[in-house]
Amino acid sequence: MTGVFDGGAGTASLAASAAFFRSSPSAVVLALPKRDSPATAPSAPGAPAASGPAAAAAAGLGIPLLAVVPGNEADVAGELDRLGAESVVLYGTPVGDWSVSVGDRIQVPGPGDADGFRSVFGLDTEPSAAEPLVSQIAAMDRNVKLPVPGLEVTVPEGNEPDSSEAGAPATASPEPTAAADPLPEFEPDTDATDAVVLATEDPASAAAVATARAAGAEVRMVGTADPRADPEVIQLLRSHREGGIYAAGDAFGGRENFADQSNVALNAAELPGGGQTVFPGRRMVALYGHPSGGSLGVLGEQGMAESIQLAKETAAQYQPYSDEPVVPALEIITTVASSEAGPDGDYSDESAVADLLPWIEAAQAAGVYVVLDLQPGYSTFLDQALRYEELLKYPHVGLALDAEWRLAPGQRHLEQIGSVDAAEVNEVSAWLSALTRENVLPQKVFMLHQFNLSMIRNREQLQVSHSELAMSLHADGHGSPGEKQDTWNALRAGLQPEIWPGWKNFYDEDTPTLTPEQTFTQIDPKPWFISYQ
């Protein structure tokens, strides 16, 4: 089972309670002054001072934490009814119709920081950048013996809360019922110890994270809201395969997106270098060419085994200048622009799948990524890509479109620079992303070659939202370092931030060819994909 607790602090807290608790005799209720506002959600700068203690109380008692905001009072009341909660521990300053939320349940003003929550949990109610509050909540122990909370709370002399402050215990109608007996010790009625929740420092996720800890679920803080990105997270999810897999926060893209990405994390192969997203977890250095010989690039200047070894050696030269792993790759010209029309009249020679398959399999065994490069002539990029669907189903195989060799009617190769419209590129990316998703594959490189602004028409209309693809713009210009830098700067102007920039070094046409150190230290920003021709 997968799920996402999102939609703001109030909605996320209710979803987590429903996921982890069939019932609970009590719940912690935290009043937030604005409806799911990031600036006032739990753990955000300026959040109610009660946010941290409320989370600690829920985790320590093993009961849900519900965030009530203006407009969701009836939803909170409905969740309390479903839980069968007869009492609530209140935190925060109520806003709106508070009585709708809690009805006539026993109301316990929750003890604040002065009553010992900070000392018990090591809790910092004004979290520093090094220890954000959501991370602290994620690490809390459940069922810790708390300093009180009872139905009568004794505040140390001199520490009486000011009812005008955001952290003051709630005292709204109906008045808290006085009683001498403490709340009972609670045990979650749902065993969630096999469940895992991924969370970022999204402030609106704090209440949901506290409820997850209260139920015994493991909470893993992640730097990237994508379960495919981190090899350790992938292994964590696989170890919880039989339990629930959840995410807390809007950054995970909703239930359907998280379900698809979790399916990949659980069942797909990892990419060379680890993980299942291409960038920023690695950089790639590739040999470019065609297996038939060296006239089309360095890849064909030696045999298959020698090319793979050379790719590894070339990538290794870049590693001292990269914080990320540098992965070797092959960019194979799969359809070659031709001066002859050929049997199908498209001025493109298509390589046979059977001829390329040994390269694909050898690269896979060696931990080398492969990109199939298309030079379509009169054919469309999608028509040619469909020919190689079998190869693109391999987890370590991506696709490149070389618009220089896309001909308009009446054109011939080398008489002009070819071009493609963004609409045709979008057809390919939509097809490739669907292929990747339907076959439960890791993210794929989707590369666009360009050295002239005219080569990709309407580039601003490129569809860049497919999470199954890592789109890269590969700057192919050759010449002096200054000329190449000018091309690089021109191509990057207006480039969508979702597109990863790439760079090509030419052995013969560059004057001189940049060294690995120069490529990674002089080109700004540092390119993610480098190829050699």
Side-chain angles (χ1 to χ4, degrees):
M1 174 181 289
T2 60
V4 178
F5 312 134
D6 58 6
T11 302
S13 72
L14 293 170
S17 176
F20 290 121
F21 286 88
R22 289 190 296 265
S23 64
S24 179
S26 186
V28 177
V29 175
L30 170 66
L32 296 174
K34 294 183 180 179
R35 182 172 181 83
D36 298 348
S37 168
T40 54
S43 85
S51 298
L61 288 167
I63 58 178
L65 170 56
L66 307 179
V68 61
V69 297
N72 84 333
E73 296 89 352
D75 294 332
V76 171
E79 179 61 11
L80 290 170
D81 287 339
R82 185 194 70 81
L83 291 167
E86 297 180 356
S87 60
V88 294
V89 184
L90 302 176
Y91 286 89
T93 302
V95 176
D97 194 354
W98 180 258
S99 62
V100 172
S101 301
V102 297
D104 58 0
R105 295 172 177 83
I106 300 170
Q107 298 179 39
V108 183
D113 187 54
D115 286 309
F117 278 81
R118 181 172 183 173
S119 61
V120 170
F121 291 97
L123 188 67
D124 184 357
T125 56
E126 295 182 0
S128 66
E131 293 182 313
L133 187 54
V134 178
S135 293
Q136 295 183 57
I137 295 170
M140 285 177 179
D141 291 330
R142 59 196 291 237
N143 298 328
V144 172
K145 303 301 181 183
L146 298 181
V148 222
L151 299 183
E152 289 184 343
V153 178
T154 301
V155 179
E157 185 176 353
N159 288 326
E160 294 85 353
D162 182 348
S163 60
S164 66
E165 294 179 354
T171 57
S173 176
E175 293 296 326
T177 303
D181 296 331
L183 292 176
E185 295 181 6
F186 302 115
E187 288 287 345
D189 67 337
T190 300
D191 183 5
T193 54
D194 285 338
V196 62
V197 178
L198 305 184
T200 65
E201 291 299 342
D202 179 359
S205 69
V209 169
T211 295
R213 288 301 303 129
E218 180 176 352
V219 178
R220 176 64 175 261
M221 302 302 298
V222 295
T224 301
D226 188 331
R228 306 169 300 170
D230 186 338
E232 292 185 3
V233 172
I234 292 170
Q235 294 308 312
L236 173 67
L237 298 189
R238 291 178 178 180
S239 70
H240 289 75
R241 186 183 295 270
E242 302 305 320
I245 296 174
Y246 302 92
D250 291 345
F252 289 90
R255 184 185 184 98
E256 183 177 350
N257 183 71
F258 182 69
D260 286 342
Q261 293 180 350
S262 296
N263 189 28
V264 171
L266 290 171
N267 299 302
E270 293 191 45
L271 295 167
Q276 296 163 325
T277 56
V278 180
F279 308 121
R282 80 209 73 237
R283 297 180 191 267
M284 291 188 180
V285 174
L287 304 185
Y288 177 91
H290 189 273
S292 62
S295 61
L296 295 175
V298 64
L299 181 145
E301 291 182 356
Q302 57 281 307
M304 182 173 63
E306 292 79 10
S307 289
I308 289 174
Q309 181 58 35
L310 180 59
K312 287 184 172 184
E313 293 172 357
T314 306
Q317 295 175 35
Y318 280 81
Q319 191 59 70
Y321 314 106
S322 175
D323 294 331
E324 302 81 15
V326 180
V327 172
L330 303 176
E331 186 175 359
I332 301 175
I333 308 174
T334 305
T335 62
V336 183
S338 173
S339 60
E340 302 295 331
D344 56 8
D346 65 0
Y347 290 85
S348 178
D349 290 337
E350 295 87 2
S351 301
V353 168
D355 293 338
L356 298 175
L357 188 58
W359 286 77
I360 302 296
E361 293 178 339
Q364 184 178 37
V368 173
Y369 198 82
V370 176
V371 177
L372 304 181
D373 182 76
L374 303 182
Q375 301 178 355
Y378 285 147
S379 182
T380 69
F381 280 114
L382 181 57
D383 285 343
Q384 286 205 333
L386 288 167
R387 290 174 174 261
Y388 301 99
E389 179 175 340
E390 175 185 343
L391 301 181
L392 288 165
K393 288 181 180 179
Y394 279 78
H396 68 298
V397 177
L399 185 66
L401 311 185
D402 198 341
E404 178 184 4
W405 310 106
R406 175 69 171 95
L407 297 177
Q411 292 182 340
R412 295 292 185 270
H413 294 305
L414 301 179
E415 294 180 0
Q416 71 290 301
I417 299 171
S419 65
V420 66
D421 192 84
E424 183 173 330
V425 176
N426 291 342
E427 290 180 348
V428 182
S429 65
W431 171 79
L432 187 60
S433 64
L435 179 76
T436 304
R437 181 173 59 255
E438 292 164 4
N439 289 276
V440 193
L441 297 168
Q443 194 178 58
K444 288 188 176 294
V445 169
F446 181 58
M447 183 183 299
L448 307 179
H449 286 279
Q450 188 176 20
F451 59 84
N452 186 291
L453 294 175
S454 67
M455 289 173 60
I456 303 177
R457 303 187 303 276
N458 302 307
R459 197 181 70 175
E460 72 282 357
Q461 298 177 20
L462 289 173
Q463 174 57 258
V464 296
S465 64
H466 298 298
S467 66
E468 298 84 3
L469 307 179
M471 184 177 288
S472 175
L473 187 79
H474 201 260
D476 285 356
H478 56 74
S480 69
E483 292 170 330
K484 291 170 69 73
Q485 185 69 58
D486 289 344
T487 299
W488 174 256
N489 293 336
L491 294 178
R492 288 180 49 250
L495 188 67
Q496 294 95 317
E498 297 86 353
I499 299 178
W500 304 88
W503 177 274
K504 179 175 282 190
N505 281 326
F506 290 82
Y507 283 118
D508 297 329
E509 289 85 356
D510 284 348
T511 53
T513 303
L514 295 181
T515 67
E517 180 179 8
Q518 291 170 330
T519 304
F520 264 4
T521 61
Q522 296 182 10
I523 307 305
D524 185 29
K526 184 185 298 184
W528 292 93
F529 191 106
I530 301 94
S531 66
Y532 278 87
Q533 181 172 348

